[in-house]
Amino acid sequence: ARKLSNYPLMQTAFNGMGSLYHEKGKHEEALRYYQRALSIARKLQDLTAAATIALNISGAYKEVNKLEDAYTYLVYALNTLESSPVKTTHNWLHIVMCHVRLAEVYRRRRLFDKAVQSLDKVDEIIAGKTYLEPFLFSQHFVRLKIFYDEEKDDEFERELVKVKELA
């Protein structure tokens, strides 16, 4: 049996390999490594790492259009991060990423109202946290895609102006 002291290194290595395969577009291989990393994070009871890895898993599932699976891991990551009694900058960063990715999953499932609610939550979170302002672009870009999909031309044009200002 492997020593427990080796697990943090293994968790980091497996998550890193998952990220590498994800970047190369080999999402099924990425998922195998991410799942191994998540299993270790859970064994170590490292909830922040587990949430981060779940966020990574959701991205891989989103890329292969397994939106239900992406949603499941996003909800797990979001619930885990939001239940943390102390929220670090890292936690807030990932909470915002979860909401933006959740909005994208809702958009692709054509659940536009839920997508907008997720993006509105991003606005609430970012307010007063200048270190999260770079995520305004992502938030507005997803909102732009929602308006495009819904064929709301006036809203699309207004949002396009905001996206261009943030770019």
Side-chain angles (χ1 to χ4, degrees):
R2 293 184 177 128
K3 293 181 181 179
L4 194 59
S5 64
N6 292 337
Y7 281 139
L9 179 59
M10 291 169 54
Q11 172 192 303
T12 300
F14 288 144
N15 189 49
M17 290 298 294
S19 295
L20 178 67
Y21 280 111
H22 185 95
E23 284 296 315
K24 292 178 103 16
K26 297 181 178 183
H27 304 294
E28 295 299 331
E29 191 70 20
L31 286 165
R32 282 193 281 283
Y33 279 102
Y34 284 147
Q35 291 291 354
R36 291 172 80 180
L38 181 58
S39 176
I40 293 170
R42 287 176 171 162
K43 180 178 284 222
L44 294 172
Q45 298 179 349
D46 185 344
L47 297 179
T48 300
T52 300
I53 295 164
L55 179 60
N56 292 345
I57 291 170
S58 75
Y61 276 128
K62 186 173 78 74
E63 290 298 322
V64 295
N65 210 35
K66 293 185 178 178
L67 301 179
E68 288 296 323
D69 292 324
Y71 173 83
T72 299
Y73 282 94
L74 280 168
V75 169
Y76 169 80
L78 195 54
N79 288 340
T80 302
L81 292 165
E82 287 182 335
S83 69
S84 177
V86 177
K87 298 203 182 37
T88 64
T89 300
H90 183 264
N91 291 91
W92 283 117
L93 169 75
H94 284 106
I95 289 169
V96 167
M97 290 173 68
C98 283
H99 280 292
V100 170
R101 190 167 291 162
L102 193 56
E104 183 64 25
V105 167
Y106 283 139
R107 182 191 73 81
R108 288 175 58 182
R109 293 175 65 204
R110 307 199 60 77
L111 299 170
F112 300 121
D113 289 342
K114 288 185 176 191
V116 169
Q117 289 172 2
S118 288
L119 296 176
D120 290 345
K121 184 71 175 169
V122 171
D123 281 337
E124 291 173 26
I125 294 167
I126 290 177
K129 295 179 182 74
T130 56
Y131 58 91
L132 293 174
E133 287 177 359
F135 282 93
L136 285 171
F137 177 83
S138 298
Q139 184 261 38
H140 285 287
F141 189 70
V142 173
R143 201 177 290 267
L144 179 71
K145 292 192 284 186
I146 291 167
F147 292 145
Y148 177 82
D149 291 346
E150 291 185 292
E151 299 179 3
K152 292 184 174 179
D153 295 337
D154 291 342
E155 290 91 337
F156 176 86
E157 290 301 325
R158 279 194 297 274
E159 202 64 32
L160 182 60
V161 170
K162 290 178 189 173
V163 168
K164 286 179 178 180
E165 287 173 357
L166 293 166

